[in-house]
Amino acid sequence: MEVTVVGAGLVGCLLTCYLARRGHEVTLYERRPDPREAGAERGRSINLAISERGLDALRRLGLEERVLSAALPMSGRMMHAQDGELTFQPYSADGRRSINSISRGDLNRLLLDEAAAQPGVTVRFGHRLTSMDEQTGRLEFDTPSGSVVEKASVVLGADGAFSAVRARLRNLPGVDYSQEYLDYGYKELTIPPGSGLSQGALHIWPRGSSMMIALPNPDGSFTCTLFWPLADFGIHDISGHFASVYPDAFALMPDLSADYAANPVGRLVTVRCSPWHVAGAGLVAGLVGDAAHAIVPFYGQGANCGFEDCVELDRCLDATGDDFGAALALFESRRKVNADTIASLALDNFVEMRDKVASRMFLAQKRVEHALERVLPGRYVSRYELVSFSTVPYAEVERRIAHQRRLVAAGALTLAAGAAVALRLLRRR
Ligand code: FAD
């Protein structure tokens, strides 16, 4: 079958590989020029943490090893206090599990190479979708040489948080849609090689109303992301600000002022939309990845979740004999609740990362959590581990966490009651 995928980002490329494996002929349209020739956009190369959900989707296509060979494992968070004190907090109870830092550009190029190499796949760069008519199947693209019109019968929108495919769906009657911008933005900064920072950790500078993180690169440099209220990005003396708020990082950032001036401020949005698909007389269209469910990056799950979408859609195509209309409806019925759950968790985690990780109480709670995991292996697993090191559906993770909490509360009550009885008996003696 001929399938049109819009957006050759992370999810569009992986989805194309999955569709080609099923024997479909895929045309992949991308608004940008070929990134393998044009290079990365400045200030948009933010690293990604890829964890089990993403790896599982890559593994199923035999791509895991290649991706991991370009990645660096991070086994925990390294917190940088304002006075320079460092505290390491492992991500897993046994301290052995890691999430993986990889350059977004490298990962995109690798997946693009893989997608373009599949039989039946055509990639058209410099094609920005501008309109889609589900009744006639007419698609219009803006290209460097003018407007181009194509026809399609199946369109999958993998065109990111500001999706043009979704824009068409949004205008249809009965569509439930919301987009929620944080009043925080982000900016990419760099720590060059030779900093001495540990390469095996995700570094965090939690400062309450702002936060910076840094992920390692194979050349020894770190890609930093500064999260800050939008209004504060207009600051005049960025060096003075860093010298007082992030003093240890400031000492490692010789190019801070130049990076700060050159790199754009990105916006952070959560998009909730339903339905994710439409079936008109002329075509069936559906959304995947950020186009369906853009989330804020604080759980490191946006791309992981989008990769998991590809696995789920592949399963739905199996279940429906490649009937795309039925598969997209099934996909949404299985996936939407999970996308909504990770969207909420990602928003909650912002508060945890910028604020709570710095508190002694939070660190003590994490130690108790890891101790429970060691005492009750497989029966008590932290939310972070279930989200990052398993493929348990996100909504199921939340049910499991609620159940575990009830068990621990009941256990604590039993212990407290036992202790009270023992105390009473002792007093009677
Ligand atoms: P995108 O990557 O946005 O790709 C969409 C593609 O569609 C692009 O190539 C774009 O050019 C193209 N396109 C757009 N409009 C059109 C059009 N009209 N016509 C044709 N082509 C079009 N996720 C993680 O899993 N781990 C992380 O650690 C992580 N960190 C993040 C940090 C930051 C600061 C941010 C902002 C996000 C982070 N994410 C992370 C989320 C992750 O980047 C996204 O979830 C992921 O990129 C979504 O992939 P996608 O392919 O759906 O969309």
Side-chain angles (χ1 to χ4, degrees), residues 144-389:
S145 49
S147 177
V148 169
V149 171
E150 303 280 355
K151 270 215 134 206
S153 55
V154 176
V155 173
L156 299 174
D159 49 346
F162 307 100
S163 165
V165 176
R166 191 185 65 226
R168 173 64 195 146
L169 260 65
R170 243 184 96 177
N171 290 330
L172 299 173
V175 171
D176 200 3
Y177 181 81
S178 77
Q179 58 180 30
E180 189 188 324
Y181 281 95
L182 284 191
D183 50 10
Y184 277 72
Y186 68 90
K187 192 183 271 267
E188 181 189 314
L189 299 169
T190 308
I191 293 178
S195 65
L197 292 182
S198 159
Q199 287 245 299
L202 185 152
H203 294 261
I204 306 188
W205 289 260
R207 296 292 182 265
S209 63
S210 69
M211 162 177 97
M212 185 167 75
I213 64 170
L215 275 72
N217 296 309
D219 69 355
S221 67
F222 285 77
T223 304
C224 310
T225 314
L226 174 67
F227 297 95
W228 215 6
L230 285 165
D232 293 342
F233 276 105
I235 192 168
H236 291 300
D237 181 13
I238 190 64
S239 296
H241 178 74
F242 262 65
S244 70
V245 178
Y246 303 104
D248 62 338
F250 178 62
L252 307 172
M253 300 172 93
D255 302 326
L256 172 67
S257 299
D259 277 355
Y260 192 87
N263 291 344
V265 176
R267 298 290 314 263
L268 298 164
V269 67
T270 303
V271 173
R272 294 185 181 86
C273 172
S274 175
W276 288 345
H277 62 100
V278 61
L283 71 76
V284 171
L287 303 172
V288 287
D290 274 17
H293 46 66
I295 62 176
V296 294
F298 305 109
Y299 228 113
Q301 283 295 308
N304 285 290
C305 177
F307 284 177
E308 208 175 38
D309 282 356
C310 301
V311 176
E312 191 59 59
L313 185 54
D314 192 53
R315 283 197 194 110
C316 294
L317 288 166
D318 273 345
T320 57
D322 289 73
D323 172 338
F324 276 85
L328 286 167
L330 182 61
F331 172 69
E332 183 173 345
S333 73
R334 290 180 177 175
R335 200 74 187 129
K336 172 91 172 102
V337 61
N338 293 309
D340 287 345
T341 303
I342 191 61
S344 303
L345 289 179
L347 284 164
D348 293 348
N349 221 38
F350 186 29
V351 181
E352 176 167 319
M353 284 180 86
R354 70 169 203 242
D355 222 344
K356 290 196 206 153
V357 288
S359 88
R360 295 203 184 283
M361 173 68 102
F362 176 83
L363 292 172
Q365 272 171 4
K366 287 287 158 194
R367 276 197 289 274
V368 169
E369 211 168 51
H370 284 334
L372 280 169
E373 287 183 85
R374 283 190 293 271
V375 175
L376 303 167
R379 287 168 55 209
Y380 186 96
V381 185
S382 73
R383 177 187 278 134
Y384 189 88
E385 291 208 35
L386 286 169
V387 167
S388 303
F389 303 131

Side-chain angles (χ1 to χ4, degrees), residues 7 10-11 30-32 48-49 104 127 129 159 290 300 302-304:
L10 301 175
V11 175
E30 168 56 47
R31 78 178 149 91
R32 295 170 304 170
L48 299 168
R104 168 195 296 277
H127 278 64
L129 180 76
D159 49 346
D290 274 17
N304 285 290

Side-chain angles (χ1 to χ4, degrees), residues 48-101:
L48 299 168
I50 293 298
S51 48
E52 179 54 24
R53 291 167 203 271
L55 293 177
D56 175 65
L58 294 162
R59 195 177 299 136
R60 289 165 189 268
L61 293 179
L63 295 172
E64 183 191 17
E65 291 308 319
R66 269 175 65 201
V67 168
L68 284 181
S69 69
L72 288 171
M74 303 177 289
S75 61
R77 296 163 166 167
M78 184 71 83
M79 263 82 67
H80 294 243
Q82 205 151 344
D83 63 5
E85 190 197 347
L86 297 180
T87 317
F88 181 74
Q89 186 193 104
Y91 282 131
S92 64
D94 63 9
R96 290 204 211 120
R97 296 177 133 178
S98 301
I99 57 176
N100 304 283
S101 168

